Amino acid sequence: MPELPEVETVRRGLAPVMEDRRILAAVARRPDLRWPLPERFAERLTGRRILRLGRRAKYLLADLDAGAEGTPEVLVMHLGMSGSFRIEPDAGIPQTPGDFVMARSKAAAHDHVVFRLEGGVEVIYNDPRRFGAMLLVPRAALDEHPLFRDIGPEPLGGGFDAQSLARELAGRRAPLKAALLDQKVVAGLGNIYVCEALHRAGLSPERPAASLVTAAGKPTAAARRLVETIRLVLEEAIAAGGSTLRDHAQVDGTLGYFQHTFRAYDREGEACLNPGCRGTIARLVQSGRSTFYCAACQR
C-alpha cells in the first residue's frame, strides 16, 4: 500500500496538468473500484474545473468548482495497492532523476477511469487489483466525512509537534510502533516509514507508547527526537520519489529511490547503519506486519 511520500509524489506529478484545468469529459469504464463509484460519477465531473490538487493522509483531493451541480465538491482518490495514474500525451512533466524505470501498465482492461482535460491531456487511472477508490464529497462536509473526521495531524504540517504527539500517546500501553500506525495519532504514516523513523531515532518499536510522555504529560526528549526524525524521513522519501515497492510507480513511470537508502526496512540480517552501532537488523512481527529494527541501539 503506498504511504504518504508515494501519494505526495503522485500529487506533485499530477498537479501541473490537473490544476486549473477543466474536465472536458470523464469516462468510467466500470461501475466500481474498491467501492461503487458515486452515482452519475462521469456526468457530475464533466465540465467542472479542478481548482487545486491536495492531499490528506494517503488520499488525493481534487477541489472542484460548483459547476452545473451548484455545490463545490472534492474528488477523493485513493490508490489502493496497485493503482497508478499516467498522463497521455506526455505533458512535459519533469522526470524524476534516476536510471531505474518501471513500465506503466497500459492494459485497457485495467484503465478504469479517464479524465480528458483542457489542453489535450488525458489522466488515466489504472488499477489491476481494483483496491483503489474514488468518491465525491461536498467540500463543506469533507472534514466530517467518515474517512477524515478522525485522522490526526499531517506529519509535515504545523499541527504535528512533540506536544501533540505526547497528548496522543499519554496512557497508551500499546507498543510504540502500533501507536504510530494509528491514523488518529498522526496521518499517513505506514509500516515502511515508521520502521525507518524509529530506527533513526534509536527507539524500540516494542517500548510502550506512553514511555515518550512524562508523568506531567509533557513530551520527553525521545518524543521530540522522534517528531524531528519522522519529518526528516518523510522529506527525504518525497525528495527521492518514494520507495516504490512492488506495484506503485510515480506518474512518469519511474521508480522511487528511497528504497535504496533504507536503513532498517527489509534489511534483516544486515549490519545496522546507525553510527557507532555494531548490531544487526532483526525482524519481528507486530500486529501481523513485519518490523525491522536493531535491538542493539533501539531502546
Side-chain angles (χ1 to χ4, degrees):
M1 192 74 73
E3 299 185 22
L4 185 154
E6 285 75 42
V7 179
E8 178 62 17
T9 299
V10 170
R11 187 199 70 78
R12 294 183 184 188
L14 290 174
V17 297
M18 293 188 76
E19 288 186 335
D20 200 30
R21 297 280 184 103
R22 192 172 301 280
I23 302 172
L24 300 181
V27 179
R29 293 177 175 166
R30 59 175 303 109
D32 59 358
L33 294 170
R34 181 178 181 181
W35 304 310
L37 292 173
E39 292 185 7
R40 300 172 41 244
F41 179 67
E43 179 185 345
R44 288 164 65 184
L45 288 174
T46 298
R48 300 178 82 165
R49 185 173 296 278
I50 300 170
L51 304 176
R52 176 180 176 273
L53 188 64
R55 178 192 54 75
R56 182 73 170 103
K58 303 173 187 179
Y59 293 89
L60 291 168
L61 305 176
D63 274 283
L64 307 173
D65 66 8
E69 297 298 314
T71 302
E73 292 184 300
V74 179
L75 171 60
V76 178
M77 299 172 281
H78 194 282
L79 295 171
M81 295 182 68
S82 62
S84 63
F85 288 94
R86 71 175 186 271
I87 298 165
E88 294 184 353
D90 182 355
I93 292 179
Q95 297 293 303
T96 300
D99 297 325
F100 304 106
V101 179
M102 176 188 295
R104 294 171 293 181
S105 172
K106 294 187 178 182
H110 304 312
D111 286 349
H112 302 310
V113 178
V114 180
F115 305 112
R116 293 174 181 149
L117 307 177
E118 290 177 322
V121 174
E122 289 191 351
V123 175
I124 301 167
Y125 178 70
N126 183 286
D127 191 352
R129 303 187 193 185
R130 299 202 311 275
F131 285 170
M134 292 192 186
L135 308 171
L136 282 169
V137 180
R139 162 45 71 183
L142 186 68
D143 290 344
E144 294 304 314
H145 189 277
L147 290 176
F148 301 107
R149 64 188 174 204
D150 294 325
I151 291 182
E154 287 288 325
L156 297 177
F160 179 64
D161 55 22
Q163 188 59 56
S164 69
L165 182 62
R167 283 196 302 270
E168 293 296 331
L169 299 185
R172 288 200 177 216
R173 298 179 181 178
L176 180 56
K177 185 197 173 194
L180 292 175
L181 289 176
D182 183 348
Q183 298 299 292
K184 296 179 182 179
V185 173
V186 57
L189 292 186
N191 196 45
I192 295 173
Y193 298 105
V194 169
C195 286
E196 288 295 300
L198 289 174
H199 179 253
R200 294 196 193 190
L203 300 175
S204 169
E206 297 183 287
R207 69 185 289 169
S211 67
L212 269 62
V213 187
T214 69
K218 301 295 183 182
T220 64
R224 291 190 288 272
R225 184 168 71 252
L226 179 58
V227 167
E228 293 174 359
T229 305
I230 287 172
R231 291 181 182 274
L232 177 63
V233 167
L234 294 178
E235 288 168 353
E236 287 182 0
I238 291 169
S243 59
T244 318
L245 298 181
R246 296 198 179 103
D247 297 308
H248 183 72
Q250 298 175 55
V251 292
D252 62 8
T254 59
L255 287 172
Y257 268 164
F258 192 73
Q259 62 179 313
H260 301 296
T261 61
F262 283 161
R263 286 167 56 168
Y265 188 83
D266 205 27
R267 295 189 65 246
E268 181 181 8
E270 299 181 33
C272 177
L273 298 178
N274 278 343
C277 182
R278 297 184 178 181
T280 301
I281 299 298
R283 173 183 172 272
L284 63 88
V285 177
Q286 292 179 292
S287 303
R289 309 193 73 178
S290 293
T291 297
F292 299 90
Y293 74 110
C294 175
C297 67
Q298 289 181 245
R299 304 295 174 84

